[in-house]
Amino acid sequence: MSAALIELAGIERVFHLGDSEVHALRCLDLRIAAGEYVAVMGPSGSGKSTLLNLLGLLDRPNAGTYRLEGRDVTTLSAEEQARVRSERIGFVFQSFHLVPRLTAAENVALPMILAGIAPAQRAQRVARTLRDYGLENRADHRPDQLSGGQRQRVAIARATIMQPAVILADEPTGNLDRATGEEVMRLLEALNGQGVTLIVVTHDGALGARARRQLLMEDGALAHDSASPDEVKDACALPT
Amino acid sequence: MRTPDLIRFARDAATGNPLRSFLLVLAMAIGVGAVVVLTALGDGARRYVLNEFSSIGSNLVIVLPGRSQTGGFNPGNAVTSTPRDLTIDDAQALLRARAVHRAAPLAVGTSEISFGGKLREVMVVGTTAEFIDVRRLALAQGRFLPAGDWRRGVSEAVIGAKVRDEMFGHESALGQLARIGDRRFRIVGVLASSGQGLGMNTDELVIVPVALAQAMFNSNTLFRILVEATGREAIEPAKAQVTEIIKQRHDGEEDVTIITQDAVLATFDRLLGTMTLAVAGIAAISLAVAGILVMNVMLVSVTQRTAEIGLLKALGATGATIRNAFLTEAAMLSVAGALLGFVLGQAGAALIRQLYPAYPAFPPDWAVLAGLGTALFTGIVFGVLPAGRAARLDPVQSLSRR
Ligand SMILES: Nc1ncnc2c1ncn2[C@@H]1O[C@H](COP(=O)(O)OP(=O)(O)OP(=O)(O)O)[C@@H](O)[C@H]1O
Ligand SMILES: [Mg+2]
């Protein structure tokens, strides 16, 4: 098996709510190779978003190791994790998360501004990316002047501008109608076609079925993995 | 993040919420403006008093009869219960001192002036020709008292501008004979109007030869002797020499008080300088209040912008970047407020000068610098806490909140 892009081993994520403990993720082992297209599905509260946040280094596990491109990233400092996010990971959110006071072009440029890239290079890349996503006429529009589909296209443009290795999308079509959602998925899939690893959380079975690999989450654990249908078991549930 | 980008980002964030930014800038502006205006008032008062004193005459040494209370225990005082009076001879003797340029005796009392059926109570000053030079007074019309023997005197008087207006109206005062007390005097000069002044208002004076004033008040004592030293550095020698001469003439007793204008000036300078500082201190409190306001507004801003902060972190911003962005915003708002306050304060001071032209209400440089500096300092210091809080925000929590 080729070196995995993402390698999770024995991941635990526990939230404390008052006295009770919520096991959002338990005993998770997962390998995702570079260039894969993975759909994460499961009922509400099963830990999909928690998993995605962890993969995106927005959250740290309580136990277990996470290797990204062979490097253990759970032990990195906050600053180093920010760098990894900046250079290797792109996020697409259900509610777009555009900065309302910035124009489409400025929103797209934001990751490059944060990374300290020179303005000249920035302008060039922003212009090209906006063109790629059919947004060149919307460059100076603020998010509230854009339709939902356009907003999500801006968000995808922003997620790709730093040419990340992996794109994490949490219900990217959740706030869009079917046709627009379809269009957004095609954009993401096109990126995957260019070799970017794509991990999409979705409730929509039809959208999930388009992925080459489906993960089914249940109660914080992996209930089904289409890549290895036989060996799904719940080892951690057993007392050791 | 590059510095220009940081500044642009902070500016956009500040202008993205105009009301919040406006209130913040206003608070800062009021603080700085208060410092500028209040110190302008305080320092203006100081300058005003100093001006008034220098207009009395420079290099002035004033001799008062009687030992001043501040002189401490003096065996001479213990022996003689009443101090010896100052006389015209004493005044004339002072001219012998090398450091003394001029001297003018002063006898003062109130009397009445009447002319053409009009009667008015006035302050009568008996003095000599030297007075006008020692006190640096100017004449509007005519001439001053003639020089001559101090113990005699011609019946001529010089009147203040207000006395002239009230007694003579449209008529010419010069050459008129007016009764002052029980004598008739010829008016030979009118003093230039001096406006408000400390102590005696020369506009309401009538000046006559000292010998005639003493006769009028039936006394041969002097109210005080004004001495002009030969120069600024001669003030101290003049003081010593005057003391020595008076002591000789008064049987070895030092029974006069000598005030130099320098000492009076220094006292007032200190007093009013302290007042300005106190006023500046009070104004600085409003700056501190503004600083606390900056902190609160920025804290609210952090809360309002949690989603944005979480997003920035997801896009690769480090905690330091977030902190810098918020600090820059706080600093920029403070700078804007400080500059606006500076302009408002200067305008306020200018308005005061416009309304009261005699009052030199200029804010001192140190106060302006301190005001601006404190504004920036408080803005940034009070911005640290919100910025730190923003930097520590958990991106997952911030993003999940909608
Ligand atoms: N910050 C938190 N504090 C406490 N509990 C949390 C927190 N975040 C998630 N949880 C809990 O962890 C579990 C998994 O949450 P998660 O958001 O990953 O679910 P999800 O699969 O994304 O659900 P949905 O489909 O509704 O988005 C839930 O029971 C949730 O209540
Ligand atoms: Mg979710």
Side-chain angles (χ1 to χ4, degrees), chain B residues 121-358:
Chain B
E121 185 154 329
V122 285
M123 181 173 270
V124 175
V125 172
T127 186
T128 61
E130 287 81 1
F131 181 71
I132 189 163
D133 296 320
V134 173
R135 275 289 318 265
R136 306 267 149 114
L137 297 177
L139 283 170
Q141 295 166 19
R143 57 171 174 81
F144 199 65
L145 300 178
D149 186 353
W150 288 11
R151 255 166 254 87
R152 302 222 318 270
V154 288
S155 295
E156 292 179 345
V158 174
I159 57 176
K162 195 168 170 197
V163 176
R164 196 218 81 90
D165 289 346
E166 290 181 12
M167 297 304 296
F168 299 96
H170 298 298
E171 280 183 68
S172 167
L174 289 189
Q176 302 280 13
L177 278 175
R179 192 174 58 77
I180 301 169
D182 46 11
R183 259 175 191 276
R184 289 163 74 81
F185 286 83
R186 186 172 299 283
I187 309 296
V188 294
V190 178
L191 290 173
S193 175
S194 68
Q196 286 303 304
L198 288 174
M200 288 190 266
N201 183 351
T202 55
D203 290 353
E204 296 189 57
L205 289 186
V206 167
I207 299 172
V208 299
V210 62
L212 299 186
Q214 286 187 332
M216 194 185 296
F217 304 134
N218 197 17
S219 114
N220 55 4
T221 67
L222 292 179
F223 174 61
R224 55 194 54 178
I225 305 171
L226 303 184
V227 175
E228 188 185 344
T230 50
R232 198 165 183 76
E233 55 303 323
I235 290 177
E236 278 309 309
K239 198 175 161 182
Q241 291 164 12
V242 164
T243 312
E244 193 48 43
I245 290 170
I246 298 286
K247 203 167 157 186
Q248 275 174 18
R249 295 180 53 83
H250 288 193
D251 303 328
E253 273 176 41
E254 218 183 292
D255 56 358
V256 289
T257 302
I258 297 178
I259 306 172
T260 58
Q261 199 180 323
D262 267 10
V264 177
L265 275 184
T267 307
F268 266 96
D269 201 11
R270 261 203 315 279
L271 202 75
L272 293 165
T274 313
M275 189 185 88
T276 307
L277 262 181
V279 160
I282 293 168
I285 292 174
S286 67
L287 270 180
V289 172
I292 292 168
L293 202 77
V294 169
M295 177 168 74
N296 279 307
V297 170
M298 290 306 290
L299 279 177
V300 171
S301 169
V302 169
T303 322
Q304 282 174 345
R305 281 155 62 190
T306 41
E308 178 187 325
I309 295 163
L311 169 75
L312 292 178
K313 287 195 167 173
L315 296 182
T318 61
T321 304
I322 307 267
R323 186 169 47 244
N324 289 344
F326 273 83
L327 264 186
T328 308
E329 190 180 333
M332 272 170 52
L333 290 172
S334 301
V335 171
L339 290 180
L340 180 66
F342 174 72
V343 171
L344 287 182
Q346 290 287 12
L351 186 70
I352 292 169
R353 294 197 297 270
Q354 191 75 39
L355 294 178
Y356 307 99

Side-chain angles (χ1 to χ4, degrees), chain A residues 115-135:
Chain A
I117 291 172
Q121 197 186 342
R122 246 158 44 197
Q124 201 184 341
R125 258 159 76 180
V126 168
R128 195 179 56 224
T129 308
L130 286 176
R131 205 165 344 103
D132 290 349
Y133 288 92
L135 290 164

Side-chain angles (χ1 to χ4, degrees), chain A residues 156-187:
Chain A
I156 294 172
R158 183 180 64 190
T160 56
I161 194 95
M162 291 292 288
Q163 293 158 348
V166 51
I167 288 192
L168 305 171
D170 197 347
E171 302 184 39
T173 63
N175 283 359
L176 303 174
D177 62 52
R178 184 151 273 289
T180 325
E182 184 79 11
E183 182 195 346
V184 163
M185 283 315 291
R186 268 203 302 277
L187 288 175

Side-chain angles (χ1 to χ4, degrees), chain B residues 107-123:
Chain B
V108 175
T110 52
S111 188
E112 283 169 350
I113 180 169
S114 65
F115 174 80
K118 276 180 261 181
L119 189 75
R120 187 192 197 281
E121 185 154 329
V122 285
M123 181 173 270

